[in-house]
């Protein structure tokens, strides 16, 4: 803990530190087995076009069902995966499976959906992201324009020139780039312009407080107006109430994602949800 806060300080040992360390080690060891034994699955959360209410995309979200412990919450295993480096193997699996599933939906006759996949900073920095992405697309047969990669702001401000080259090459293939959790990190107009991103995802913390915090409302309006002036799409995360949705529509937000429309669903359940949605079925010709 003393090292984490910059050294030249001290921290007293507590038993809880030992408990936390053992828990992290246990999760890490179980994650290695989970990756080998295919215990992970993907759930997909719809992304809605606020202009007409259609589902235009889905975000792929990793879920872990341990045979003894049951469902392990993402906020328990994702941080451990990032600390241990297992996020690379997990991220590659998510990318492959999401592309395979999107291709299966298309072969089943569902209309085109863009599938969004989160890319961790460690994945991005390893240097083989393009090869990994192209291998997933080739193996699945999915067209590049059906894939959207979600990057955090922190990724783009480190080693800018190298990362700029990577993003430009990905976009040259037709892959979309979105900035995840916008507003919580190092928001900068300069990197939005240089990296020519396609979409900004407004962090759920701002959406949650829209009705009670005037500053959050002002920030959301400002982000949407800025994105429109740069001709970028905007998608609000964590939309849970009709009031939030009404605010976003009035402010000119492009899209929304959250429990108000649909919780993350397994692939089969999502396909059933889409075919039952009248607006989606109308655009699919069914």
């Amino acid at each position: 803990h003393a090292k984490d806060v910059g050294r030249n300080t001290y921290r007293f040992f507590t038993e809880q530190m030992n408990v936390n360390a053992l828990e992290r080690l246990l999760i890490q060891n179980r994650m290695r087995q989970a990756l080998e034994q295919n215990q992970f699955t993907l759930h997909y959360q719809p992304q809605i076009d606020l202009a007409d209410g259609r589902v235009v995309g889905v975000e792929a979200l990793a879920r872990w069902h341990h045979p003894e412990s049951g469902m392990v919450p993402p906020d328990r295993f994702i941080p451990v995966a990032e600390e241990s480096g297992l996020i690379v193997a997990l991220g590659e699996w998510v990318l492959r499976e999401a592309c395979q599933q999107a291709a299966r939906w298309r072969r089943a006759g569902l209309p085109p959906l863009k599938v969004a996949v989160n890319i961790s900073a460690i994945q991005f920095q390893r240097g083989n992201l393009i090869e990994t992405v192209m291998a997933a697309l080739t193996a699945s047969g999915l067209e590049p324009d059906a894939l959207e990669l979600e990057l955090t702001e922190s990724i783009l401000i480190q080693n800018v020139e190298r990362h700029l080259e990577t993003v430009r090459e990905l976009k040259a293939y037709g892959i979309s780039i979105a900035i995840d959790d916008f507003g919580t990190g190092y928001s900068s107009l300069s990197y939005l312009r240089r990296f020519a991103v396609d979409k900004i995802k407004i962090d759920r913390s701002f959406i949650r407080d829209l009705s009670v915090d005037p500053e959050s409302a002002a920030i959301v309006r400002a982000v949407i107006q800025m994105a429109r002036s740069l001709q970028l799409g905007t998608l609000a995360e964590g939309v849970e109430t009709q009031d939030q949705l009404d605010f976003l529509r009035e402010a000119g937000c492009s899209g929304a994602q959250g429990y108000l429309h649909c919780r993350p669903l397994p692939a089969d359940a999502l396909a059933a949800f889409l075919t039952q949605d009248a607006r989606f079925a109308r655009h699919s010709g069914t």
Side-chain angles (χ1 to χ4, degrees), residues 1-66:
H1 278 271
K3 288 180 179 179
D4 288 343
V5 296
R7 301 174 184 268
N8 296 323
T9 186
Y10 60 87
R11 290 292 186 270
F12 289 104
F13 171 80
T14 67
E15 184 60 31
Q16 189 61 42
M17 288 182 180
N18 194 47
V19 171
N20 293 342
L22 290 174
E23 182 182 19
R24 288 196 300 271
L25 182 60
L26 178 63
I27 292 176
Q28 180 178 327
N29 291 335
R30 285 182 171 179
M31 277 192 69
R32 295 184 191 278
Q33 295 177 344
L35 286 166
E36 296 171 357
Q37 298 172 6
N38 298 317
Q39 294 176 11
F40 285 98
T41 59
L42 286 184
H43 285 194
Y44 301 87
Q45 187 167 38
Q47 298 177 333
I48 311 298
D49 186 332
L50 291 186
D52 56 16
R54 288 186 303 122
V55 178
V56 292
V58 293
E59 180 180 1
L61 301 165
R63 294 293 183 263
W64 179 12
H65 187 276
H66 189 270

Side-chain angles (χ1 to χ4, degrees), residues 17 26 61 66 79 119 152 157 159 171 213 229 237 241-242:
M17 288 182 180
L26 178 63
L61 301 165
H66 189 270
I119 301 297
T152 60
I157 66 167
N159 202 342
K171 287 181 62 63
D213 182 6
S229 67
E237 299 180 285
T241 69
Q242 187 63 44

Side-chain angles (χ1 to χ4, degrees), residues 8 11 22 31 74 81 87 100-101 164 174 178 181 202 214 216 243 251:
N8 296 323
R11 290 292 186 270
L22 290 174
M31 277 192 69
I87 195 68
Q100 292 280 2
Q101 184 57 63
L164 180 60
D181 301 333
I202 305 171
S216 289
D243 286 344

Side-chain angles (χ1 to χ4, degrees), residues 47 56-60 95 98-99 113-119 133 137 142-151 170 174-180 197-201 233 235 257:
Q47 298 177 333
V56 292
V58 293
E59 180 180 1
L95 184 61
C99 289
L113 283 175
K114 194 179 288 287
V115 61
V117 176
N118 288 277
I119 301 297
V133 170
L137 290 171
L142 188 69
E143 293 297 324
D145 62 3
L147 177 64
E148 180 173 88
L149 301 182
E150 296 188 358
L151 313 176
L170 289 167
I175 297 164
S176 299
I177 303 295
I179 301 300
D180 197 18
V197 302
D198 301 286
K199 180 189 296 180
I200 292 172
K201 296 190 72 176
L235 187 140
Q257 173 182 340

Side-chain angles (χ1 to χ4, degrees), residues 1 14 36 50 56 69 71 79 83 108 117 122 124 148 153 169 171 173 183 203 205 215-216 220 223 227 244 257 282:
H1 278 271
T14 67
E36 296 171 357
L50 291 186
V56 292
S69 305
M71 293 300 293
E83 292 173 9
V117 176
I122 298 175
F124 204 90
E148 180 173 88
E153 297 170 276
E169 188 167 349
K171 287 181 62 63
Y173 284 114
D203 187 67
S205 62
E215 291 186 357
S216 289
V220 171
V223 169
Q244 292 169 348
Q257 173 182 340
R282 184 172 66 250

Side-chain angles (χ1 to χ4, degrees), residues 92-162:
E92 290 178 354
W93 175 84
V94 170
L95 184 61
R96 291 194 303 270
E97 179 59 28
C99 289
Q100 292 280 2
Q101 184 57 63
R104 286 193 287 268
W105 281 329
R106 292 197 174 198
R107 289 194 295 269
L110 292 178
L113 283 175
K114 194 179 288 287
V115 61
V117 176
N118 288 277
I119 301 297
S120 75
I122 298 175
Q123 279 180 278
F124 204 90
Q125 292 163 2
R126 286 292 174 93
N128 64 340
L129 179 63
I130 294 174
E131 292 83 354
T132 300
V133 170
M134 297 313 297
L137 290 171
T138 300
S140 64
L142 188 69
E143 293 297 324
D145 62 3
L147 177 64
E148 180 173 88
L149 301 182
E150 296 188 358
L151 313 176
T152 60
E153 297 170 276
S154 60
I155 292 176
L156 302 184
I157 66 167
Q158 302 172 6
N159 202 342
V160 173
E161 294 306 321
R162 176 184 171 188

